[in-house]
Amino acid sequence: MTITFSPFDPAEYLKSDEAILAFLSEAFSSRDPQHIADAIGIAAKAKGMSDIARQTSLSRESLYRSLSDKGNPTLQTVIAVLNTLGIDLTVCAQPSSAS
């Protein structure tokens, strides 16, 4: 008996702005650039990559490529996509670690 698995697409589960925000917050907490880029791409896909491309004036193909786990998006791309998603990129101090 062969078990068949279908590909998992997390974008299918990001149905609300709150879910997208929580998903991206978790990705940013990892501090892993590839993971963050991939998560932003997944969030953009959940919202509709064609719409994101149109609103940012970037090509859909370029967004898919740069916002992947192997991508390396520019800060300009990251900010443009996050703005389109209605998310601000902010800075805060890291919690102090006990010595």
Side-chain angles (χ1 to χ4, degrees):
M1 176 189 211
T2 302
I3 299 175
T4 305
F5 294 99
S6 50
F8 176 72
D9 185 1
E12 294 177 11
Y13 297 92
L14 299 176
K15 303 286 185 190
S16 68
D17 291 340
E18 293 80 16
I20 289 171
L21 183 59
F23 181 73
L24 290 176
S25 292
E26 183 63 31
F28 273 88
S29 73
S30 76
R31 296 191 173 114
D32 178 349
Q34 283 80 27
H35 180 61
I36 293 167
D38 189 37
I40 294 170
I42 291 167
K45 183 178 175 189
K47 280 294 211 177
M49 194 64 85
S50 294
D51 288 337
I52 300 291
R54 184 179 37 75
Q55 292 177 44
T56 60
S57 300
L58 299 167
S59 77
R60 196 171 57 85
E61 294 78 16
S62 171
L63 288 172
Y64 273 117
R65 187 173 40 257
S66 66
L67 299 174
S68 71
D69 61 346
K70 304 233 185 318
N72 190 16
T74 64
L75 185 56
Q76 182 177 0
T77 298
V78 168
I79 291 172
V81 172
L82 290 178
N83 285 340
T84 302
L85 293 172
I87 297 173
D88 283 329
L89 186 60
T90 61
V91 178
C92 64
Q94 293 180 1
S96 299
S97 59
S99 301

